[in-house]
Amino acid sequence: MNFKVPTLYKRLLAFVAVIGPIFWLVFTEDGQRRTDTVVLTLWGEDEIKLNLQALDNQVTEEEFMKVFPDIEWQCQDQVSPFGNRLCASKIGVFNGIPAHYVTVFFHDKWVNGVKIGYRKNYHTQLKTQLWHQMGSPIAEGSDQPQVKRGPDSVLHWSTNTGHVILKEELAENEEPSLMWLPFSMLPNSSS
């Protein structure tokens, strides 16, 4: 039996095979994120993969820097509400999300906070990623510290040693950033 596929079907299949992936990369949020991360990596931007649940304030600066030897850190003594030293680096990607920078705060050589500046148009995808990785944010009415709901509401997830904090919604000119802080930095936290 000689089965012949009509030319129109062949052309339609070829069209879908070529246009489908391009459509996905350009017109879907996931495709745009993946395209941006590949482009940022090709341009030489650093990627940092950081397990937020494993962060611990019992890690020294030296130990932290050994985990990320390929990142070009700029460190300096600087007093802030988060410690007395910080190390920062420009990055392109944080856990698969296009980003701008990472800053690690230290207090007397111990990790005391991490701040990630990410690209604003990926705020919703970052929230979704955190929901998938860490479960639901801490519910109101729990014994954990809460921030009032409203335009300034904050989502936070509890880890073994601290909290991951992210604004629920970003204002027009607000810097998109994610924070990890140890329990000792938050009032009314369990230690």
Side-chain angles (χ1 to χ4, degrees):
M1 176 152 83
N2 188 5
F3 182 70
K4 184 175 178 183
V5 177
T7 306
L8 177 63
Y9 290 141
K10 288 181 189 177
R11 287 186 180 158
L12 282 174
L13 183 60
F15 179 77
V16 168
V18 171
I19 297 301
I22 293 171
F23 179 85
W24 176 75
L25 288 171
V26 175
F27 294 108
T28 66
E29 287 182 3
D30 186 52
Q32 290 171 354
R33 179 184 60 81
R34 291 175 190 268
T35 301
D36 286 349
T37 57
V38 167
V39 169
L40 288 166
T41 304
L42 290 175
W43 285 346
E45 298 289 339
D46 290 324
E47 178 175 6
I48 189 168
K49 293 181 181 178
L50 186 61
N51 182 349
L52 297 168
Q53 291 178 314
L55 276 173
D56 192 344
N57 61 343
Q58 299 301 307
V59 175
T60 66
E61 178 180 345
E62 183 180 333
E63 293 167 337
F64 191 88
M65 296 307 154
K66 283 182 183 177
V67 174
F68 302 104
D70 298 334
I71 303 290
E72 292 182 32
W73 297 100
Q74 296 178 4
C75 299
Q76 66 182 19
D77 292 336
Q78 181 176 329
V79 177
S80 75
F82 306 112
N84 52 18
R85 182 168 171 78
L86 62 84
C87 293
S89 179
K90 181 180 178 214
I91 59 172
V93 181
F94 159 70
N95 291 358
I97 301 289
H100 294 293
Y101 67 87
V102 57
T103 303
V104 183
F105 299 93
F106 298 93
H107 183 74
D108 296 335
K109 85 174 181 174
W110 302 102
V111 172
N112 203 45
V114 176
K115 181 179 181 181
I116 309 285
Y118 58 93
R119 297 173 194 264
K120 190 173 190 170
N121 49 329
Y122 295 104
H123 180 74
T124 301
Q125 288 182 334
L126 180 57
K127 280 194 312 187
T128 302
Q129 185 183 86
L130 291 172
W131 274 76
H132 282 89
Q133 291 174 356
M134 303 176 75
S136 298
I138 294 172
E140 289 197 41
S142 74
D143 60 351
Q144 300 291 335
Q146 290 295 315
V147 176
K148 294 178 184 170
R149 293 279 181 223
D152 293 328
S153 66
V154 174
L155 300 172
H156 60 274
W157 291 262
S158 184
T159 68
N160 290 334
T161 59
H163 286 281
V164 175
I165 303 166
L166 181 72
K167 289 283 290 211
E168 190 169 19
E169 299 296 329
L170 296 173
E172 182 75 27
N173 296 320
E174 191 168 15
E175 175 191 25
S177 63
L178 167 78
M179 291 285 297
W180 172 86
L181 294 172
F183 288 130
S184 60
M185 293 294 298
L186 297 171
N188 303 325
S189 285
S190 56
S191 296

